[in-house]
């Protein structure tokens, strides 16, 4: 299976991609100069992880993901929560690396989880163990003839032999082979390495296109080729990394592609016609930037309102630390506040009332709060 790059609708995509470029640059400029920029970025990581599961047909509540990330789960984490947390950690990992890391050979191997291994033709995977030292008694004499340290030396020789074999195998060029997988979990006919090579070819062939156009083509190719059997969300992160590498988003800011996709009807983003899909992806980037600007304005206003409550407070007040926490996290629990602000759980409830935070869960127990 291959992705056809002929007859790309460049003329039809010029205006949408230009609008997406302008919107992303405008948002990035706002975030780079904002007092709530770091908090906005951290919130986007959580919102994007939940939105990514939504795009793939699963539902994860934001509060459950935040509490799971802080090790304050109120119930056993579900399989969906675990996947969302993997997405969250992957976004953070990409964000702290240099912009070109995610699409480098090293980055792609790491992000794909090293799903293939090298197998050297004609070379056994297990080295031959060294010959054991004969530690027998001399016949008829009862005299022990073996070196008393022979057993220890034999173990050291075995370790050195295994290490040398592993280094030799790693230095040779082999062919990729999928690890043995459970047929109940994996489709054994799904050649992920071959699909990834097809996608990599698309990435190379589109490197001279404008950044936004390349990102949407690469993302569409990832979806059509179905590169990853169990991590379709990785393609959206790679597309966001491509925009960051091009300089449209700077610092730790990754474009919120999943939030933008939520605003696009399913029958358009998964349309059988490629031109319709590409146009929908370009429009999703515009929507993502607009949603980001609205969230930034909301956080800025919320911080200004909370800072008014600091007037007349003592210099040792814990409210400033709590303000920073609720800006960084979509919601906070009493345990999270106590752990971060360094107060008791009872004091955490008291300063929450002083700050006037909104209770987000509607529960009597295991409550959590956030900004309005």
């Amino acid at each position: 299976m291959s992705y056809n790059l002929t007859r790309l609708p460049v003329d039809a995509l010029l205006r949408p991609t230009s609008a997406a470029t302008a919107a992303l640059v405008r948002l990035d400029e706002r975030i780079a100069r904002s007092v709530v920029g770091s908090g906005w970025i951290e919130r986007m990581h959580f919102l994007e992880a939940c939105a990514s599961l939504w795009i793939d047909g699963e539902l994860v509540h934001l509060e459950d993901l935040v509490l799971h990330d802080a090790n304050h789960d109120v119930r056993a984490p579900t399989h969906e929560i675990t996947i969302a947390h993997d997405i969250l950690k992957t976004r953070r990992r990409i964000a702290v690396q240099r912009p070109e890391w995610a699409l480098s050979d090293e980055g792609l191997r790491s992000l794909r989880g090293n799903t293939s291994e090298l197998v050297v033709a004609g070379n056994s995977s297990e080295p031959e163990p060294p010959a054991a030292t004969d530690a027998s008694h001399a016949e008829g004499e009862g005299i022990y003839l073996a070196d008393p340290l022979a057993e220890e030396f034999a173990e050291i020789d075995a370790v050195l032999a295994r290490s040398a074999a592993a280094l030799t195998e790693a230095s040779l060029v082999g062919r990729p082979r999928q690890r043995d997988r459970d047929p109940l979990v994996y489709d054994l006919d799904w050649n992920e390495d071959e699909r990834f090579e097809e996608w990599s070819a698309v990435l190379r062939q589109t490197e001279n296109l404008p950044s936004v156009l390349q990102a949407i083509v690469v993302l569409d190719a990832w979806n059509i080729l179905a590169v990853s059997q169990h991590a379709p969300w990785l393609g959206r992160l790679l597309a966001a990394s491509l925009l960051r590498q091009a300089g449209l988003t700077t610092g730790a800011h990754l474009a919120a592609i999943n939030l933008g996709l939520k605003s696009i009807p399913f029958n358009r983003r998964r349309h059988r016609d490629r031109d319709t899909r590409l146009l929908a992806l370009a429009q999703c980037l515009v929507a993502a930037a607009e949603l980001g600007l609205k969230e930034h304005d909301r956080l800025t206003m919320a911080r200004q309102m909370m800072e008014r409550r600091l007037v007349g407070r003592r210099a040792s007040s814990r409210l400033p630390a709590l303000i920073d926490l609720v800006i960084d996290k979509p919601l906070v629990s009493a345990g999270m506040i106590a752990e971060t602000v360094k107060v008791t759980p009872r004091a955490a409830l008291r300063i929450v009332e002083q700050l006037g935070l909104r209770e987000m869960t509607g529960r009597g127990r295991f409550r959590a709060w956030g900004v309005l």
Side-chain angles (χ1 to χ4, degrees), residues 98-242:
R98 61 187 187 277
E100 65 275 10
W101 175 81
L103 292 167
S104 65
D105 292 339
E106 174 192 356
L108 289 172
R109 281 196 303 269
S110 179
L111 292 174
R112 292 181 65 211
N114 297 322
T115 56
S116 60
E117 60 186 358
L118 293 178
V119 179
V120 181
N123 197 17
S124 174
S125 58
E126 292 293 335
E128 290 293 332
T133 304
D134 186 9
S136 60
H137 289 75
E139 184 178 356
E141 297 183 359
I143 302 175
Y144 193 77
L145 300 178
D147 188 342
L149 297 179
E151 184 176 355
E152 286 77 6
F153 284 133
E155 293 180 359
I156 294 175
D157 291 340
V159 171
L160 293 176
R162 288 195 298 269
S163 300
L167 291 174
T168 302
E169 182 177 351
S171 65
L172 297 176
V173 179
R175 58 180 180 85
R177 183 188 70 183
Q178 298 288 339
R179 289 193 179 101
D180 295 335
R181 291 176 168 178
D182 188 345
L184 293 177
V185 180
Y186 295 93
D187 182 358
L188 300 183
D189 293 330
W190 193 298
N191 193 328
E192 187 169 311
D193 292 327
E194 181 179 344
R195 293 167 186 254
F196 180 76
E197 287 300 324
E198 292 286 348
W199 179 83
S200 299
V202 174
L203 180 64
R204 291 190 298 268
Q205 294 173 32
T206 58
E207 60 184 6
N208 293 325
L209 293 177
S211 303
V212 171
L213 181 56
Q214 182 189 15
I216 63 176
V217 171
V218 165
L219 178 53
D220 186 60
W222 181 280
N223 295 332
I224 295 302
L225 295 174
V227 178
S228 180
Q229 187 173 357
H230 290 287
W233 48 267
L234 181 57
R236 299 188 285 272
L237 281 178
L238 294 177
S241 301
L242 189 59

Side-chain angles (χ1 to χ4, degrees), residues 286-307:
V286 177
E290 293 176 349
L291 290 171
L293 286 172
K294 291 180 181 179
E295 179 67 10
H296 171 266
D297 294 342
R298 190 180 72 88
L299 285 181
T300 302
M301 183 177 297
R303 186 180 185 91
Q304 292 174 354
M305 294 177 63
M306 289 187 293
E307 287 178 343

Side-chain angles (χ1 to χ4, degrees), residues 67-82:
L67 295 176
H68 178 70
D69 181 63
N71 295 321
H72 287 280
D73 300 90
V74 297
R75 62 180 68 88
T78 62
H79 180 62
E80 291 76 19
I81 286 290
T82 304

Side-chain angles (χ1 to χ4, degrees), residues 25-45:
V25 171
R26 188 183 308 114
L27 172 63
D28 190 67
E29 184 68 18
R30 185 81 61 87
I31 298 303
R33 299 172 179 269
S34 174
V35 294
V36 298
S38 60
W40 181 91
I41 290 174
E42 183 66 12
R43 281 172 168 265
M44 285 296 108
H45 289 332

Side-chain angles (χ1 to χ4, degrees), residues 6 12 21 24 31 58 60 63 103 120 123 137 146 165 231 247 259 292 294 318 343-344 371:
T6 61
T21 302
L24 290 171
I31 298 303
E58 303 290 348
V60 170
E63 62 184 77
L103 292 167
V120 181
N123 197 17
H137 289 75
L259 288 176
K294 291 180 181 179
R318 300 292 185 177
V343 296
T344 63
V371 296

